[in-house]
């Protein structure tokens, strides 16, 4: 029997569909193909803050995700041990971003499970380039030579480096008036205010507001889904847990 779609279920479906479109998991003909999860340094995304009213944060908990098998195989092939924090974190992020072996969506065709922007990963992959330009002539996302190297960039240059304080300055965490306006418009937690140059050990909350900024993502839903997924292995983890405390686990 077909499942009855109640209003909450319709809302969840639409929210997930929007997230998938933004990440390139769902391709549409009119898409500019320019949205991203991984935020670039002090991007122009704050132009979105001209919205007349601030978006409301979702108070609804997002469900845990089951990392897809092909992504786990990529992480194992890249040298990461199943069951470790970095393995589980990368598997959840890559699954959220839509990576799936054989798929034609952006993260899959670019061998880029984390949907990372830029091409400053030459130390990990000498052959990394920017993806081909989209219909608007934009080239924003990295295209790695293999999915293993793309996974390594996610783990080494995002999860591990950012956990230790080597994260970028963006509209989400910058000190300028423009950055303050962005945070006010997009309801960014106070924990992000002005930390761009402080190089602190990031919490889960801070990591994902930088990684998946709210002007382009459902950041609160992302955080909730990641936390619910990680709790299976790390029951005490919360959005305020520091990533560095789990790197060796």
């Amino acid at each position: 029997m077909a499942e009855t779609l109640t209003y909450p279920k319709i809302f969840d479906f639409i929210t997930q569909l929007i997230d998938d479109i933004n990440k390139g998991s769902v391709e549409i003909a009119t898409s500019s193909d320019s949205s991203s999860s991984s935020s670039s340094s002090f991007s122009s995304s704050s132009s979105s803050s001209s919205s007349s009213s601030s978006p409301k944060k979702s108070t609804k908990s997002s469900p845990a995700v089951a990392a897809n098998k092909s992504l786990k195989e990529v992480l194992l092939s890249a040298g990461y041990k199943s069951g470790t924090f970095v393995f589980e974190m990368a598997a959840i992020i890559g699954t959220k971003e839509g990576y799936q072996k054989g798929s034609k969506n952006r993260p899959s065709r670019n061998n880029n499970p984390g949907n990372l922007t830029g091409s400053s990963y030459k130390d990990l992959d000498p052959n990394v380039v920017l993806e081909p330009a989209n219909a608007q002539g934009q080239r924003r996302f990295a295209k790695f030579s293999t999915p293993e190297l793309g996974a390594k960039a996610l783990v080494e240059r995002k999860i591990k480096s950012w956990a230790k304080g080597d994260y970028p300055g963006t509209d989400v965490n910058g000190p300028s008036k423009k950055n303050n306006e962005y945070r006010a418009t997009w309801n960014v937690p106070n924990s992000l205010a002005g930390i761009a140059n402080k190089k602190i050990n990031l919490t889960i909350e801070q990591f994902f507001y930088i990684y998946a900024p709210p002007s382009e993502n459902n950041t609160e839903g992302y955080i909730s889904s990641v936390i619910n997924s990680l709790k299976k292995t790390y029951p005490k983890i919360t959005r305020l847990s520091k990533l560095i405390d789990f790197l060796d686990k």
Side-chain angles (χ1 to χ4, degrees), residues 223-237:
I223 293 171
S224 177
S225 183
V226 169
I227 291 295
N228 285 334
S229 301
L230 290 173
K231 274 186 177 295
K232 296 177 181 179
T233 307
Y234 306 97
K236 293 185 179 180
I237 198 166

Side-chain angles (χ1 to χ4, degrees), residues 9 11 16 28 33 36 44 68 88 90 107 115 118 128-129 132 143 148 150 172 182 184 210 226 235:
K9 289 178 181 176
F11 175 80
Q16 184 61 53
I28 54 177
D33 219 24
S36 167
S44 59
N68 70 68
E88 298 302 324
N115 219 17
V128 65
V129 295
K143 183 176 178 64
E148 286 79 10
V172 169
Y182 177 97
I210 299 172
V226 169

Side-chain angles (χ1 to χ4, degrees), residues 120-152:
S120 57
Y121 309 98
K122 297 286 186 181
D123 55 327
L124 297 175
D125 182 0
N127 297 313
V128 65
V129 295
L130 288 176
E131 67 176 350
N134 62 16
Q136 285 69 42
Q138 298 167 325
R139 302 178 65 207
R140 185 178 175 190
F141 295 87
K143 183 176 178 64
F144 294 94
S145 55
T146 69
E148 286 79 10
L149 290 174
K152 196 163 188 175

Side-chain angles (χ1 to χ4, degrees), residues 54-59 185 187:
S54 298
K56 294 182 179 180
K57 286 185 183 178
S58 171
T59 57
T185 297
N187 293 318

Side-chain angles (χ1 to χ4, degrees), residues 199-213:
K199 304 307 175 187
I200 63 173
N201 296 328
L202 295 180
T203 64
I204 296 282
E205 174 183 84
Q206 292 165 330
F207 178 93
F208 281 104
Y209 265 91
I210 299 172
Y211 186 85

